[in-house]
Amino acid sequence: MSDLLSLFGWTFLPNLVTGWAQSLYYGITIRAGSPRPTPGSPRYAEHRRRIHILVVTVYLLYTIYEAHYELVVRGSNFYGDLGVSPDASEREIKSRFRRLAALYHPDKVTGQQSQEEVNNYFVYLKTAVDTLTDPVRRFAYERFGVDAVAWAGPNGNGKGGCKTHHDFVMRGAQMLLSYYGLAAAVLYGLGLLGYLTWGRFERWLVLASMFVWEAHTVMSPGRPAVFEKFLNPLLQRVTGVMGRYYLPFQAVAVMRKVSLTVYIAISQIGPLLTADTSNGQLVPKNNGAGGDQEELLKQGLERLEMMSKGLDLDTSRLVELEMAPFAGDQEALSSMRGKIKEWLVQNTIKNDPMVRDALGRGLQRRREDAPAGARGTK
C-alpha cells in the first residue's frame, strides 16, 4: 500500500507543488504592482524548470528518509526487541532472555492485556532467542529477515527446511534472481514502449550494481562493510541512539526502495537538466534516444504551424488594409478580389518549374515546325 501511495505521490505531487512554489516565489521576490513573468515566456519556463528540479530533489530526499524511518525507527528486529546489540554473544542473548522471561512470561503478566497477546509476545521472544543463538539461523536472519525463520521449518513436502548455510543461501538466491529478473523484464518492457528513454544506460547500470551488491551481501560471511564501518556509526552518532543500526536485510530493503525512487526521480529531473526554455516551453534536448528525435520533430512542426498561422493572419490584415479605400463599394471589391485571385493563379502557374518547362518545349516545337520566314518564330 505504501508503494502505491509513493507512486501516486511521484505522479502528481511534484507538478502540483511546483506550481504553488512558483507562485510563492513570485509573491516574495516581485514587488506588488510589478509585472510577473507570464506563462509561455522564456523567463517563466526557466523559473519553472529550476523550481521543479528543486521540488523533485527535496521529495527524493524525503522518500529516502521515509524508507529509513519505516524500516529502522518504526520497524523492529530480534536484536532490538531483546535489547542486545548485533555483536552480542550467545551467553549475553540467553541472559537477556531470562530477564525478559521473568517479566513477560504468561504466568507472571497481569494487567489490561489479553492472554492471547501475552502468549504471542512470549512466543515471539522465544523465537528470537532460538534464532540468534543458532549460528546458522542467525546468519540467515541477518540476511533475509523474518522470512528465514519460516525457511527453517518443515516445507510443504513434509521434509525438513533449510538447515545449513548453503541451504539458506540457495533459497535466498532464488528469491534474488526472481526479483531482479522481474525488474529487468519491466525495465526492458517500458523501454520498448517508449518510456524511461532518458538515462536508459544509467538505469541498467544501477540495476546491475544493485544485483551485484545484494548478491555479495547475501553470500558474504560478514556484514556489509559500508554499513558496518561507516553508516551505522554515523547513524548512531547523529541520532544519539545506540540502538539505531542497519542489519543486512534492512540495508537491502532500504537500497531497493531508494533505487526505485531514484529511477522515478531520474525520469523527472534528467530531461529538465538540459531542457531548452528559449521559446517559453520546456523542450528536452536529445540525449541519444530515437524517441527524442521524433519528439523534437513533432515540436518543430508545431512551431512551424504556429508561425504559418501568424503569417497568414498578418497577410490577411495587409490585404484588408490595401482594400480599405474600396470599403462600401461591393462592385469594386468583387472586381478587385477576382483580379487578385486571377493574378495569384496565373503567377503561381507560370512560376511552377514543370509548367515553365512545358511552355518552353511547346514554343520550341512551334519554332521548329513553322515555315521559313514566318513571323513570330524567332
Side-chain angles (χ1 to χ4, degrees):
M1 185 64 180
S2 60
D3 292 338
L4 292 177
L5 291 176
S6 178
L7 182 61
F8 177 81
W10 276 110
T11 304
F12 296 99
L13 283 180
N15 289 326
L16 185 62
V17 175
T18 298
W20 292 344
Q22 190 167 8
S23 299
L24 180 63
Y25 171 75
Y26 288 155
I28 296 175
T29 59
I30 298 179
R31 296 180 179 180
S34 300
R36 296 186 177 187
T38 58
S41 64
R43 186 182 176 192
Y44 181 91
E46 180 63 21
H47 289 166
R48 187 168 187 85
R49 183 184 75 88
R50 295 180 180 181
I51 294 174
H52 191 83
I53 292 175
L54 177 62
V55 168
V56 172
T57 303
V58 172
Y59 192 58
L60 169 64
L61 296 176
Y62 167 75
T63 53
I64 294 175
Y65 170 77
E66 182 186 25
H68 159 77
Y69 182 81
E70 290 291 333
L71 289 169
V72 178
V73 181
R74 285 189 58 185
S76 63
N77 60 74
F78 287 169
Y79 292 104
D81 294 335
L82 289 175
V84 296
S85 69
D87 298 323
S89 64
E90 180 179 346
R91 182 178 178 180
E92 292 172 340
I93 294 173
K94 288 183 177 180
S95 175
R96 179 61 181 171
F97 175 71
R98 284 193 292 268
R99 279 182 281 178
L100 291 175
L103 296 174
Y104 297 106
H105 193 278
D107 296 336
K108 298 181 179 181
V109 174
T110 59
Q112 300 296 330
Q113 293 179 330
S114 65
Q115 190 66 26
E116 183 179 359
E117 293 177 349
V118 174
N119 291 337
N120 291 339
Y121 185 68
F122 184 78
V123 170
Y124 173 80
L125 294 178
K126 187 66 171 62
T127 303
V129 72
D130 290 343
T131 300
L132 298 183
T133 53
D134 184 334
V136 176
R137 295 170 64 183
R138 183 173 182 173
F139 168 89
Y141 170 74
E142 289 187 353
R143 283 148 185 80
F144 307 110
V146 294
D147 291 338
V149 178
W151 298 349
N155 57 27
N157 296 327
K159 301 179 181 180
C162 301
K163 297 182 180 301
T164 64
H165 291 84
H166 180 268
D167 294 339
F168 282 106
V169 169
M170 293 304 297
R171 183 69 176 272
Q174 293 177 3
M175 296 182 60
L176 184 69
L177 291 174
S178 300
Y179 176 84
Y180 282 99
L182 179 61
V186 171
L187 196 60
Y188 181 73
L190 291 176
L192 289 179
L193 294 176
Y195 298 99
L196 306 180
T197 56
W198 203 99
R200 182 179 302 174
F201 172 77
E202 289 79 2
R203 287 189 179 88
W204 283 107
L205 181 61
V206 170
L207 184 66
S209 301
M210 277 291 302
F211 174 76
V212 172
W213 176 81
E214 189 169 339
H216 171 74
T217 301
V218 169
M219 299 179 184
S220 176
R223 302 186 182 110
V226 66
F227 286 90
E228 190 71 11
K229 297 181 179 180
F230 174 71
L231 192 57
N232 284 341
L234 178 63
L235 182 63
Q236 294 176 6
R237 182 176 299 179
V238 171
T239 60
V241 180
M242 297 304 296
R244 298 285 169 80
Y245 47 79
Y246 282 102
L247 293 174
F249 77 89
Q250 293 175 319
V252 167
V254 169
M255 292 302 295
R256 283 185 178 183
K257 191 162 186 177
V258 168
S259 63
L260 179 61
T261 302
V262 169
Y263 286 161
I264 302 175
I266 288 176
S267 301
Q268 299 203 19
I269 293 180
L272 295 179
L273 294 177
T274 57
D276 181 19
T277 58
S278 59
N279 64 344
Q281 302 292 331
L282 292 175
V283 182
K285 294 184 178 179
N286 181 31
N287 70 324
D292 292 343
Q293 292 281 8
E294 297 180 0
E295 184 66 22
L296 290 175
L297 179 60
K298 181 180 178 181
Q299 293 173 355
L301 291 175
E302 291 177 353
R303 290 197 296 269
L304 181 61
E305 183 180 3
M306 293 177 62
M307 292 176 59
S308 63
K309 289 181 179 179
L311 183 61
D312 181 65
L313 181 61
D314 293 339
T315 304
S316 300
R317 290 175 179 173
L318 288 175
V319 171
E320 292 178 358
L321 182 63
E322 292 295 331
M323 297 182 66
F326 304 97
D329 191 346
Q330 295 297 329
E331 183 178 353
L333 287 175
S334 300
S335 176
M336 184 66 69
R337 288 194 181 96
K339 291 181 179 179
I340 292 176
K341 183 178 180 180
E342 182 182 357
W343 176 82
L344 287 174
V345 172
Q346 291 180 359
N347 187 61
T348 302
I349 294 175
K350 289 180 180 179
N351 288 331
D352 187 271
M354 296 181 65
V355 174
R356 295 176 63 180
D357 291 344
L359 290 174
R361 287 194 297 269
L363 292 174
Q364 185 178 5
R365 194 178 300 112
R366 287 177 57 188
R367 294 190 183 100
E368 294 174 352
D369 297 338
R375 300 177 60 183
T377 60
K378 295 183 179 179

